[in-house]
Amino acid sequence: MAPTLTLKSGTSWTDAWQRCLAVVPEAFRDDRLLNLWNAAWQADGRVLPAASPVDGTPVAGPPRLDRATARQAVRAALDQHRAWRHIPLPERRARVAATLDALAEHRDLLSLLLVWEIGKPWRLARADVDRAIDGVRWYVDGIDAMLAGRAPLDGPVSNIASWNYPMSVLVHAVLVQALAGNAVIAKTPTDGGAACLTLASALAAREGIPVTLVSGSGGELSEALVRAPEVGCVSFVGGRDTGAAVATAVADLGKRHILEQEGLNTWGIWDHSDWDALEAVVPKLFDYGKQRCTAYPRFVVQRQLFDAFLTAYLPAVRTLRVGHPLAVEQPTDPHPRLDFGPVINAAKAKELHDQVAEAVDRGAVPLYRGTPFDARFLPGQDTSAYVQPVTLLNPPRSSPLHHAEPFGPVDTVVLVDTEAELLAAMNASNGALVATLCTDDRATFDRLAPQIRAFKVGHGVPRSRGDRDELFGGLGASWRGAFVGGELLVRAVTRGPAGERLPGNFPEYQLMP
């Protein structure tokens, strides 16, 4: 009989909230979060109810601004930008470095907020915080050479990012943009991360970083955050539907932009025999329930290898550990080691359950379904945002699971007989961020990899967004605008010599690094 679990001591949402009130009282009121604009914390916006995906606990919702107030915030950010761009680089570097020290000091609190707000297991929440801090330190150390011959943009950088990596994607980008001489605007993701971003922004603002943090619906704020003439660059991370609207707007305005969009990242298997390596990597591919832009939800498998694939894949997927990220046997036990907890909310869980059921009804074959009986939950807790791992063979073409990224712990497998079919299946979404091809023959990989429409292609190993000097982008519909990573991130948010063509995927040209 499984032991009865309890919440780890000192990790409740109330505990986290009280710690935030003590650390940055200027940004947290007794019962709500504040927006940060015009260099001051503002008690404006309409606060909507919010709940943690972990167990339904009520948490702080983002204070959503209206369009007119967002316009005021952007105009104020331009004033900050005009002052900040003239701050000498040594002073900017010192202020960003001090911010990193403050983030490191409150690393555990930032991580705990990520657990409650977006359901990350403790190990992955801390990794998100650490990647932000370590990544920006790399830029602090090397920024002089990256800025040689370059200048800040004419207006602030506006950041609209998804909820899944508030620290290592959004905060990381904001601090590098500020280091490069720009004021920065960040929109709080609607689905989660508001408290974590509020704490991080408060720590940055205390060090004099010109950061604006606002909340609101994308439709309500897009006129200010995307189209406003004061904005010097738009940086977007999210889905293709929203990204397409942003892409149209920035193209019409001729505005600098970085638009990272989703794509169906695929893992191809062709003339392959190292099944031990595949078995070892499968659980890692389920980190955070595949709720990341570089997740691999599609396996494209040579038909004659399908039995060997299943022999390696099924034992690996059965080892996955799912549950409440803070549930332990004894209150003082260490945090549980889980592969993933909930998806972002109950609505997303229902969407995934419905997509799987519809795909099976239309002919997909279930290869594996996890059960909640194996999960680690508190007695009687709300589990409506949890999805157990599922693997389907041959989803029908009419299903979203055939051509789109599910953003949840759902794998699909497609069988192919020829190299042409392999490439067609791996390119099903017209561009992706990453892909992997497992094949024993290096010459085969070298011949096929260039035909896979992904920015990064691994040979038998997963690829990721990367840190520090590793470049990042996407091909096809998965990316619009300047590529980032390494020095390219700095180049994307600064002005270089007249006539410069940035590496990226633009309407008028594509230039690889």
Side-chain angles (χ1 to χ4, degrees):
M1 181 177 178
T4 300
L5 301 180
T6 187
L7 194 68
K8 180 174 173 59
S9 178
T11 65
S12 72
W13 171 256
T14 300
D15 292 328
W17 186 260
Q18 291 301 317
R19 289 167 63 185
C20 290
L21 286 172
V23 173
V24 286
E26 67 270 27
F28 287 74
R29 289 285 170 86
D30 290 340
D31 59 347
R32 61 165 293 170
L33 301 168
L34 305 183
N35 289 299
L36 173 61
W37 60 274
N38 198 24
W41 290 96
Q42 315 277 356
D44 51 15
R46 183 167 60 100
V47 180
L48 298 181
S52 169
V54 170
D55 58 10
T57 294
V59 297
R64 296 159 67 103
L65 294 182
D66 57 29
R67 186 174 306 174
T69 308
R71 287 287 292 121
Q72 294 180 49
V74 172
R75 285 194 291 267
L78 178 61
D79 292 337
Q80 288 182 292
H81 179 81
R82 287 170 172 166
W84 178 254
R85 63 182 299 177
H86 297 297
I87 297 293
L89 178 57
E91 177 66 18
R92 298 201 306 263
R93 183 194 292 112
R95 294 189 190 185
V96 171
T99 300
L100 297 176
D101 291 341
L103 294 175
E105 180 183 353
H106 298 290
R107 170 196 188 206
D108 284 355
L109 179 53
L110 290 161
S111 301
L112 184 58
L113 293 172
L114 290 180
V115 173
W116 280 111
E117 293 192 283
I118 61 174
K120 282 200 170 184
W122 182 251
R123 169 179 60 90
L124 300 177
R126 293 188 81 178
D128 192 12
V129 175
D130 290 346
R131 283 182 62 191
I133 297 170
D134 295 343
V136 179
R137 284 200 196 279
W138 181 83
Y139 284 93
V140 169
D141 292 340
I143 191 63
D144 293 82
M146 298 181 204
L147 284 179
R150 309 193 67 80
L153 300 175
D154 293 332
V157 182
S158 178
N159 294 269
I160 305 170
S162 56
W163 45 264
N164 52 340
Y165 284 90
M167 292 296 297
S168 63
V169 173
L170 183 51
V171 171
H172 177 279
V174 161
L175 292 179
V176 175
Q177 292 159 7
L179 182 63
N182 303 289
V184 289
I185 305 167
K187 177 187 172 298
T188 301
T190 303
D191 287 327
C196 178
L197 288 169
T198 300
L199 173 57
S201 298
L203 297 174
R206 283 183 172 183
E207 302 301 336
I209 304 297
V211 58
T212 294
L213 181 68
V214 294
S215 299
S217 71
E220 185 78 8
L221 301 192
S222 63
E223 188 69 26
L225 300 185
V226 176
R227 292 183 172 272
E230 294 90 345
V231 171
C233 176
V234 176
S235 177
F236 170 86
V237 179
R240 288 192 180 183
D241 290 343
T242 305
V246 174
T248 300
V250 295
D252 291 345
L253 298 168
K255 195 183 294 290
R256 183 77 64 93
H257 57 283
I258 306 161
L259 310 181
E260 176 187 330
Q261 301 170 139
E262 65 189 11
L264 185 62
N265 306 315
T266 57
W267 190 288
I269 297 177
W270 187 263
D271 289 343
H272 174 73
S273 62
D274 189 357
W275 300 109
D276 289 342
L278 178 68
E279 184 173 353
V281 81
V282 165
K284 299 175 184 176
L285 301 181
F286 275 90
D287 269 357
Y288 194 33
K290 304 209 172 196
Q291 297 178 102
R292 48 197 174 93
C293 63
T294 54
Y296 287 84
R298 167 67 50 80
F299 287 89
V300 181
V301 182
Q302 188 176 10
R303 190 181 305 273
Q304 68 184 39
L305 299 179
F306 184 46
D307 56 340
F309 167 80
L310 287 182
T311 300
Y313 177 90
L314 290 176
V317 78
R318 292 189 181 108
T319 68
L320 294 174
R321 298 154 297 180
V322 184
H324 191 303
L326 301 170
V328 293
E329 294 183 23
Q330 300 295 327
T332 57
D333 284 350
H335 294 84
R337 288 192 62 83
L338 302 173
D339 295 290
F340 60 93
V343 295
I344 188 56
N345 52 44
K348 179 61 179 180
K350 182 180 184 304
E351 175 189 291
L352 290 169
H353 287 307
D354 290 347
Q355 288 180 352
V356 169
E358 181 183 47
V360 172
D361 285 345
R362 295 182 180 181
V365 178
L367 297 177
Y368 177 78
R369 295 194 207 210
T371 69
F373 303 107
D374 299 324
R376 295 172 54 91
F377 293 133
L378 297 176
Q381 79 162 77
D382 183 336
T383 61
S384 58
Y386 288 80
V387 177
Q388 302 304 314
V390 178
T391 308
L392 301 180
L393 174 65
N394 289 338
R397 292 184 177 274
S398 59
S399 168
L401 297 177
H402 177 80
H403 55 78
E405 182 181 10
F407 232 64
V410 179
D411 272 349
T412 56
V413 181
V414 172
L415 303 182
V416 295
D417 296 297
T418 67
E419 289 184 355
E421 290 178 331
L422 173 80
L423 293 170
M426 294 189 72
N427 292 329
S429 68
N430 183 28
L433 304 175
V434 296
T436 291
L437 178 60
C438 286
T439 182
D440 293 344
D441 181 38
R442 180 72 202 196
T444 298
F445 175 82
D446 291 340
R447 177 168 48 82
L448 296 178
Q451 302 176 67
I452 299 171
R453 288 180 58 76
F455 187 79
K456 297 180 181 180
V457 181
H459 185 189
V461 296
R463 300 304 307 271
S464 69
R465 206 174 196 277
D467 295 303
R468 303 187 179 192
D469 60 350
E470 187 170 356
L471 308 182
F472 190 60
L475 298 186
S478 68
W479 197 278
R480 293 287 184 267
F483 295 144
V484 295
E487 66 172 350
L488 292 190
L489 175 54
V490 173
R491 291 173 64 183
V493 295
T494 54
R495 290 186 294 107
E500 178 185 44
R501 283 160 51 101
L502 295 174
N505 185 19
F506 295 91
E508 63 275 17
Y509 73 89
Q510 181 187 81
L511 179 63
M512 296 300 291

